[in-house]
Amino acid sequence: MKRIAVIDDDEVFQLIIKKQIEMKNITCEIMKFFNGEEAINYLNANIQEPGQLPHMIMLDVNMPIKDGWEFLEDYETLPSEVKNSITLYMVTSSVIQSDIDKAKKDNNIKDFISKPIPSERLDMMFQ
Protein backbone atom coordinates (compact mmCIF):
# COMPACT_ATOMS: atom_id res chain seq x y z
CA MET A 1 0.00 0.00 0.00
CA LYS A 2 1.23 3.47 -0.88
CA ARG A 3 2.07 5.80 1.98
CA ILE A 4 1.51 9.53 1.49
CA ALA A 5 3.00 12.09 3.88
CA VAL A 6 1.14 15.40 4.00
CA ILE A 7 3.33 18.00 5.70
CA ASP A 8 1.08 21.00 6.27
CA ASP A 9 -0.05 22.94 9.33
CA ASP A 10 -3.45 23.63 7.72
CA GLU A 11 -5.89 21.08 9.19
CA VAL A 12 -8.50 22.01 6.58
CA PHE A 13 -6.09 21.14 3.76
CA GLN A 14 -5.23 17.89 5.54
CA LEU A 15 -8.94 17.00 5.59
CA ILE A 16 -9.57 18.12 1.99
CA ILE A 17 -6.68 16.12 0.52
CA LYS A 18 -7.77 13.04 2.48
CA LYS A 19 -11.32 13.39 1.10
CA GLN A 20 -10.05 14.01 -2.45
CA ILE A 21 -7.97 10.82 -2.32
CA GLU A 22 -10.86 8.82 -0.85
CA MET A 23 -13.25 10.08 -3.54
CA LYS A 24 -10.86 8.82 -6.21
CA ASN A 25 -10.80 5.39 -4.55
CA ILE A 26 -7.03 5.57 -4.24
CA THR A 27 -5.88 3.06 -1.66
CA CYS A 28 -3.14 4.55 0.48
CA GLU A 29 -2.15 5.38 4.00
CA ILE A 30 -2.08 9.11 4.70
CA MET A 31 0.48 10.25 7.25
CA LYS A 32 -0.16 13.69 8.76
CA PHE A 33 2.63 16.02 9.86
CA PHE A 34 1.90 19.58 10.93
CA ASN A 35 5.42 20.97 10.47
CA GLY A 36 8.70 20.04 8.83
CA GLU A 37 10.34 19.08 12.12
CA GLU A 38 7.77 16.36 12.86
CA ALA A 39 8.24 14.99 9.34
CA ILE A 40 12.05 14.99 9.23
CA ASN A 41 12.18 13.41 12.69
CA TYR A 42 9.88 10.64 11.45
CA LEU A 43 12.00 10.06 8.33
CA ASN A 44 15.22 9.92 10.34
CA ALA A 45 13.69 7.57 12.93
CA ASN A 46 12.53 5.18 10.19
CA ILE A 47 15.45 5.43 7.78
CA GLN A 48 16.33 1.76 8.31
CA GLU A 49 12.71 0.69 7.76
CA PRO A 50 11.92 1.42 4.09
CA GLY A 51 8.41 -0.01 4.52
CA GLN A 52 7.63 2.76 7.01
CA LEU A 53 8.74 5.59 4.71
CA PRO A 54 6.29 7.47 2.48
CA HIS A 55 6.20 6.92 -1.27
CA MET A 56 5.06 10.51 -1.77
CA ILE A 57 5.39 13.74 0.19
CA MET A 58 3.14 16.77 -0.20
CA LEU A 59 5.07 19.62 1.39
CA ASP A 60 3.75 23.06 2.29
CA VAL A 61 6.06 26.10 2.29
CA ASN A 62 4.76 28.18 5.19
CA MET A 63 4.55 26.33 8.50
CA PRO A 64 5.58 27.03 12.09
CA ILE A 65 8.60 25.43 13.81
CA LYS A 66 10.24 24.20 10.58
CA ASP A 67 8.92 25.44 7.24
CA GLY A 68 9.13 23.68 3.89
CA TRP A 69 12.50 25.17 2.96
CA GLU A 70 14.03 24.20 6.31
CA PHE A 71 12.60 20.71 5.90
CA LEU A 72 14.26 20.47 2.47
CA GLU A 73 17.64 21.45 3.95
CA ASP A 74 17.39 18.48 6.32
CA TYR A 75 15.87 16.24 3.63
CA GLU A 76 18.92 16.87 1.44
CA THR A 77 21.10 15.10 4.04
CA LEU A 78 19.11 11.84 3.80
CA PRO A 79 20.73 8.94 1.93
CA SER A 80 20.16 8.99 -1.84
CA GLU A 81 18.34 5.65 -1.81
CA VAL A 82 15.79 7.13 0.60
CA LYS A 83 15.27 10.30 -1.44
CA ASN A 84 15.09 8.32 -4.69
CA SER A 85 12.24 6.21 -3.28
CA ILE A 86 10.11 9.27 -2.42
CA THR A 87 8.31 11.57 -4.87
CA LEU A 88 8.16 15.03 -3.31
CA TYR A 89 5.68 17.72 -4.36
CA MET A 90 5.63 21.24 -2.98
CA VAL A 91 1.93 21.92 -2.46
CA THR A 92 1.24 25.43 -1.23
CA SER A 93 -0.99 28.45 -1.41
CA SER A 94 2.12 30.58 -1.91
CA VAL A 95 2.16 32.32 -5.26
CA ILE A 96 5.41 34.12 -4.57
CA GLN A 97 7.51 33.85 -7.71
CA SER A 98 10.72 33.38 -5.73
CA ASP A 99 9.18 30.30 -4.05
CA ILE A 100 8.19 28.87 -7.45
CA ASP A 101 11.66 29.54 -8.88
CA LYS A 102 13.40 28.08 -5.84
CA ALA A 103 11.24 24.95 -6.00
CA LYS A 104 11.97 24.44 -9.71
CA LYS A 105 15.72 24.55 -8.96
CA ASP A 106 15.51 21.94 -6.18
CA ASN A 107 16.21 18.47 -7.60
CA ASN A 108 14.28 16.84 -4.75
CA ILE A 109 11.02 18.54 -5.78
CA LYS A 110 9.15 16.88 -8.63
CA ASP A 111 6.70 19.76 -9.05
CA PHE A 112 5.29 22.94 -7.47
CA ILE A 113 1.50 22.72 -7.13
CA SER A 114 -0.84 25.47 -5.99
CA LYS A 115 -3.63 24.73 -3.53
CA PRO A 116 -6.27 23.56 -3.89
CA ILE A 117 -5.02 20.64 -5.99
CA PRO A 118 -7.18 20.25 -9.10
CA SER A 119 -8.68 16.78 -9.50
CA GLU A 120 -6.86 16.06 -12.77
CA ARG A 121 -3.54 17.13 -11.22
CA LEU A 122 -4.10 14.74 -8.34
CA ASP A 123 -4.69 11.96 -10.88
CA MET A 124 -1.33 12.73 -12.47
CA MET A 125 0.41 12.63 -9.09
CA PHE A 126 -0.85 9.09 -8.48
CA GLN A 127 0.02 7.65 -11.91
Side-chain angles (χ1 to χ4, degrees):
M1 177 184 299
K2 283 195 181 245
R3 297 170 62 91
I4 312 304
V6 181
I7 309 171
D8 196 316
D9 63 317
D10 182 347
E11 291 186 48
V12 172
F13 177 74
Q14 292 267 8
L15 180 64
I16 289 170
I17 197 65
K18 181 178 186 289
K19 290 293 180 199
Q20 278 185 293
I21 291 169
E22 286 173 357
M23 286 174 57
K24 292 188 169 294
N25 293 318
I26 298 169
T27 303
C28 66
E29 177 185 345
I30 300 174
M31 307 160 66
K32 295 180 182 181
F33 300 98
F34 293 95
N35 62 68
E37 185 171 309
E38 286 179 4
I40 203 68
N41 287 346
Y42 178 86
L43 294 176
N44 282 320
N46 290 280
I47 213 156
Q48 300 300 323
E49 300 288 334
Q52 297 301 310
L53 296 175
H55 297 92
M56 179 192 301
I57 292 176
M58 296 182 194
L59 176 66
D60 189 22
V61 173
N62 299 309
M63 295 176 285
I65 303 172
K66 186 171 288 206
D67 68 19
W69 301 119
E70 293 166 326
F71 168 85
L72 284 167
E73 288 174 20
D74 292 339
Y75 185 82
E76 182 60 38
T77 68
L78 295 175
S80 295
E81 59 271 12
V82 171
K83 293 185 291 186
N84 291 339
S85 69
I86 299 172
T87 305
L88 195 152
Y89 294 95
M90 185 156 273
V91 180
T92 182
S93 54
S94 172
V95 291
I96 301 170
Q97 189 62 45
S98 62
D99 281 344
I100 297 167
D101 294 342
K102 189 174 179 180
K104 288 184 188 290
K105 290 179 185 165
D106 191 312
N107 292 331
N108 293 311
I109 300 173
K110 180 167 174 89
D111 203 359
F112 185 98
I113 303 168
S114 294
K115 291 180 192 173
I117 301 175
S119 179
E120 60 279 356
R121 186 69 185 99
L122 193 62
D123 291 339
M124 291 171 54
M125 291 167 70
F126 280 92
Q127 286 181 346

